[in-house]
Amino acid sequence: MTDRNDQQPDPRGAIKDPEEWVTGDEPPTAAQESYLHTLAREAGEEVPDDLTKAEASRRIDELQEETGRGR
């Protein structure tokens, strides 16, 4: 018999592609903007002013890889 309390949920199960986000067309959150600007500064790049929440998320992923802060 398996104790269900010992099983951990797969954290990847909650990850959605930003294209599927219901709020993906909204402006980025303050936290996204702050982190995005930090990463862009480290990478020596500019951040466009008109990004959506989904676009900001994708750009954060790209800059994390570029700066070595990737997962």
Side-chain angles (χ1 to χ4, degrees), residues 46-58:
E46 298 289 323
V47 177
D49 290 331
D50 58 347
L51 292 178
T52 65
K53 191 182 291 187
E55 291 168 337
S57 178
R58 281 192 300 278

Side-chain angles (χ1 to χ4, degrees), residues 29-49:
T29 65
Q32 278 181 308
E33 285 186 342
S34 175
Y35 189 44
L36 183 56
H37 283 279
T38 297
L39 290 169
R41 186 173 48 252
E42 288 181 12
E45 297 194 19
E46 298 289 323
V47 177
D49 290 331

Side-chain angles (χ1 to χ4, degrees), residues 13-34:
I15 297 174
K16 279 188 174 181
D17 184 322
E19 288 297 320
E20 297 176 14
W21 293 356
V22 174
T23 60
D25 289 335
E26 294 179 3
T29 65
Q32 278 181 308
E33 285 186 342
S34 175

